[in-house]
């Protein structure tokens, strides 16, 4: 099984970093295929905890390649900080490779994101304010500047000068903000490019060569299906395609090369930022789960919204991503909460629906329909196999998998690498 994609199945923060790190133990290459430093992926092993943003969760083994592929919006300043953080913690980053085709995220993208969010007032998306949307806008407007352009000072200066005519007009005239200086940005970003140049290559070719020689390639998604620009809760989404298919576009591999697509979920649901969240819990159990699981954003520190497991959203995720396996994290968090609810369908205008509505307007009139399952009180953090889980926990997992229609691959009872337990090996 040489190629596996790890996909967030909900609104992000499902524990993708943790499962990527787990599967990466047997991988040769780990590839990030979309998003940027809006991601925060937590990895815990040997009593150490790391939080990664743009660098793939395979960086901890110097023998592997950790690839930032073409689909990522690449913020060099932020990646250099991340590299320094890893070096400070004794991690070698020699295995890093950066696609020459990745779009560069500049400081003006970040500034525009902040200003656009502030201008939206109550209608804000609740972005991470890292400039992700504006950087992807430039990509699709075909004015983006790519990593290969960072390495040629004349090209970089010419493109920055051309882009800043419009950007500065928007910054100053629409928002009354300060303009950016092309000459200064050229110096700053050319210097980043020079530092990062040894890592820059055609990563699609590197991946193909690895696959052709029988190596194992793991693709790591950021965000989640419900934040996907096409398939998520638009417009309350991110600006890329976290779905399984996003890996083929975002890494430059054909869909025929992919063997498994593993959907990552929590045993409940969480969401940061604005937008529909049908199973949201506003107090009581929601607060309890947030406290037990420390549900606060890795980078932004924002409290995460919490809700019951939503099998309607998960079936949607399974369909649009072609999930072949399901990983359920944070089962330990549900211990002692009493009976547990799973959303099985919605009611909209008096009708039962089992598919996820496209229009956010529908969510104001929608009620989730629940199935209630008995919980368990035992501390399960030491459990190492499915059979050793309390019967009700086994039943809960089996029911989730049945409702989503995807085979259970793993469950986890803690944030550590060792707390992930698989039902069968994928490679
Ligand atoms: P990602 O963005 O999908 O990689 O997920 P994040 O790292 O943003 O958020 C997941 C959070 O849940 C992190 O704080 C993890 O350490 C934590 N976590 C992951 N798996 C488990 C688990 O099985 N149990 C508990 N209690 N916490 C977990
Ligand atoms: P990981 O990879 C959770 C959310 C933001 C906001 C929306 C758009 O750690 O799961 P953006 O900055 O992308 O324009 O924000 O998407 N968001 C995430 N939520 N986890 C993430 O990444 C997220 N990345 C973006 O909160 O609602
Ligand atoms: Mg996260």
């Amino acid at each position: 099984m040489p190629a596996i994609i790890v996909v967030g199945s909900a609104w992000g923060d499902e524990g993708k970093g943790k499962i990527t790190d787990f599967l990466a133990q047997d991988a040769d290459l780990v590839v990030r295929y979309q998003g940027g430093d809006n991601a925060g992926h937590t990895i815990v092993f040997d009593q150490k905890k790391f939080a990664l943003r743009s660098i793939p969760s395979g960086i901890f083994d110097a023998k592997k390649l950790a690839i930032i592929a073409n689909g990522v919006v690449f913020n060099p300043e932020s990646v250099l900080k991340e590299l320094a953080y890893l070096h400070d913690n004794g991690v070698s980053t020699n295995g890093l490779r950066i696609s020459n085709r990745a779009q560069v995220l500049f400081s003006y993208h970040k500034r525009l994101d902040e200003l656009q969010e502030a201008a939206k007032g109550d209608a804000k998306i609740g972005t991470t304010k890292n400039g992700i949307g504006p950087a992807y806008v430039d990509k699709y407007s075909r004015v983006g500047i790519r990593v290969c352009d960072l390495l040629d000072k004349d090209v970089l200066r010419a493109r920055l000068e051309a882009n800043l005519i419009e950007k500065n007009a928007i910054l100053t005239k629409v928002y009354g903000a300060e303009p950016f200086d092309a000459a200064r940005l050229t110096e700053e970003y050319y210097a980043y490019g020079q530092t990062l140049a040894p890592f820059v290559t055609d990563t699609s070719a590197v991946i193909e060569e690895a696959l052709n020689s029988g190596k194992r390639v793991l693709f790591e998604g950021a965000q989640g299906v419900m934040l996907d620009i096409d398939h998520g809760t638009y417009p309350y989404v991110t600006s890329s395609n976290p779905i399984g298919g996003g890996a083929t576009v975002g890494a430059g591999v054909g869909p025929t090369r992919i063997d498994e697509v593993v959907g990552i979920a929590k045993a409940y649901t969480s969401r940061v930022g604005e937008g529909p969240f049908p199973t949201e819990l506003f107090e009581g159990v929601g607060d309890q789960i947030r406290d037990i699981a420390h549900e606060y954003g890795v980078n932004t520190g924002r409290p995460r919204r919490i809700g019951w497991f939503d099998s309607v959203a998960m079936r949607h995720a399974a369909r649009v991503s072609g999930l072949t396996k399901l990983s359920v994290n944070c089962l330990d968090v549900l211990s002692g909460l009493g009976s547990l609810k799973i959303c099985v369908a919605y009611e909209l205008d008096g009708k039962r629906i089992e598919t996820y509505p496209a229009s956010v307007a529908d969510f104001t009139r929608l009620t989730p329909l629940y199935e209630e399952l008995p919980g368990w009180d035992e501390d399960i953090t030491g459990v190492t196999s499915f059979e050793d889980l309390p019967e009700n926990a086994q039943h809960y997992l089996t029911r989730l998998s049945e409702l989503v229609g995807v085979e259970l691959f793993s469950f986890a009872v803690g944030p550590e690498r060792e707390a992930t337990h698989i039902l069968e090996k994928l490679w």
Side-chain angles (χ1 to χ4, degrees):
M1 285 298 171
I4 300 177
I5 305 176
V6 167
V7 174
S9 304
W11 285 277
D13 302 330
E14 303 90 346
K16 296 173 293 294
K18 188 180 87 158
I19 299 297
T20 302
D21 167 69
F22 180 86
L23 287 169
Q25 295 175 94
D26 296 315
D28 299 296
L29 273 74
V30 183
V31 184
R32 249 297 285 282
Y33 59 84
Q34 46 65 238
D37 63 352
N38 49 349
H41 294 180
T42 316
I43 297 107
V44 185
F45 60 90
D46 297 345
Q47 274 91 49
K48 281 182 292 208
K49 179 172 166 175
F50 292 93
L52 295 179
R53 304 179 73 148
S54 300
I55 294 181
S57 305
I59 195 75
F60 300 101
D61 179 348
K63 293 191 290 298
K64 301 183 200 315
L65 292 186
I67 293 178
I68 299 180
N70 56 281
V72 171
V73 281
F74 181 82
N75 177 338
E77 187 187 3
S78 152
V79 168
L80 284 168
K81 272 194 199 136
E82 212 173 321
L83 288 173
Y85 153 79
L86 288 168
H87 294 157
D88 288 350
N89 286 283
V91 178
S92 158
T93 57
N94 292 341
L96 183 69
R97 298 290 180 275
I98 301 163
S99 168
N100 49 12
R101 289 176 171 79
Q103 296 280 326
V104 179
L105 190 153
F106 287 87
S107 40
Y108 51 80
H109 292 128
K110 197 168 156 53
R111 187 79 189 108
L112 278 169
D113 193 359
E114 290 161 356
L115 294 164
Q116 286 165 354
E117 277 287 276
K120 283 197 173 104
D122 286 346
K124 70 177 194 284
I125 305 289
T127 74
T128 59
K129 298 187 186 154
N130 286 308
I132 306 297
Y136 277 113
V137 165
D138 278 3
K139 169 176 177 172
Y140 289 104
S141 298
R142 294 159 295 175
V143 296
I145 297 174
R146 303 194 297 174
V147 167
C148 55
D149 305 322
L150 280 189
L151 307 182
D152 183 324
K153 204 171 190 175
D154 293 335
V155 171
L156 178 61
R157 187 186 302 106
R159 287 183 181 267
L160 278 169
E161 277 168 0
N163 282 359
L164 283 176
I165 296 170
E166 190 187 62
K167 293 279 179 293
N168 282 340
I170 296 172
L171 284 164
T172 55
K173 293 184 185 144
V174 178
Y175 296 109
E178 290 299 311
F180 281 76
D181 181 68
R184 199 177 308 157
L185 281 185
T186 304
E187 292 306 321
E188 183 185 348
Y189 282 79
Y190 182 70
Y192 294 145
Q194 289 306 295
T195 311
L196 291 166
F199 300 114
V200 176
T201 186
D202 182 343
T203 53
S204 162
V206 173
I207 296 167
E208 176 174 58
E209 196 185 313
L211 286 170
N212 288 348
S213 58
K215 290 195 172 147
R216 291 165 169 177
V217 182
L218 184 61
F219 298 90
E220 176 181 15
Q223 291 79 52
V225 172
M226 302 311 285
L227 289 170
D228 186 277
I229 186 80
D230 286 271
H231 300 285
T233 46
Y234 193 90
Y236 298 97
V237 292
T238 191
S239 302
S240 65
N241 289 114
I243 58 164
T248 72
V249 179
V253 288
T256 47
R257 307 303 299 257
I258 306 300
D259 299 285
E260 298 275 1
V261 186
V262 183
I264 317 302
K266 279 176 177 150
Y268 46 94
T269 312
S270 70
R271 170 164 208 172
V272 219
E274 309 302 316
F277 187 0
T279 64
E280 184 163 12
L281 291 158
F282 292 97
E283 50 197 23
V285 180
D287 291 342
Q288 244 176 304
I289 291 178
R290 187 176 306 102
D291 288 347
I292 299 168
H294 311 292
E295 287 286 7
Y296 295 88
V298 176
N299 296 320
T300 59
R302 293 182 290 177
R304 292 178 183 150
R305 300 158 67 190
I306 305 293
W308 293 117
F309 189 91
D310 185 342
S311 70
V312 185
M314 287 296 303
R315 278 196 297 276
H316 176 83
R319 169 158 49 83
V320 303
S321 265
L323 300 186
T324 59
K325 292 284 185 295
L326 182 66
S327 278
V328 179
N329 288 319
C330 301
L331 191 64
D332 54 304
V333 174
L334 298 185
S335 296
L337 288 185
S339 65
L340 305 170
K341 289 186 183 174
I342 306 174
C343 171
V344 290
Y346 305 139
E347 193 175 285
L348 180 65
D349 301 334
K351 281 203 204 93
R352 182 185 168 102
I353 56 167
E354 302 207 357
T355 52
Y356 211 84
S359 165
V360 289
D362 288 347
F363 287 90
T364 53
R365 307 187 321 278
L366 177 147
T367 323
L369 302 175
Y370 289 110
E371 183 174 294
E372 203 155 333
L373 266 66
W376 59 92
D377 288 328
E378 294 91 329
D379 174 358
I380 58 170
T381 51
V383 168
T384 56
S385 72
F386 184 83
E387 292 70 30
D388 290 339
L389 285 169
E391 209 173 304
N392 287 347
Q394 290 187 23
H395 183 216
Y396 184 75
L397 285 176
T398 306
R399 188 69 186 130
L400 296 190
S401 159
E402 244 170 44
L403 284 165
V404 179
V406 178
E407 193 185 344
L408 186 68
F409 161 64
S410 71
F411 69 92
V413 290
E416 308 81 19
R417 189 186 278 172
E418 303 72 30
T420 299
H421 306 293
I422 57 172
L423 280 77
E424 78 178 298
K425 267 178 101 65
L426 281 185
W427 54 20

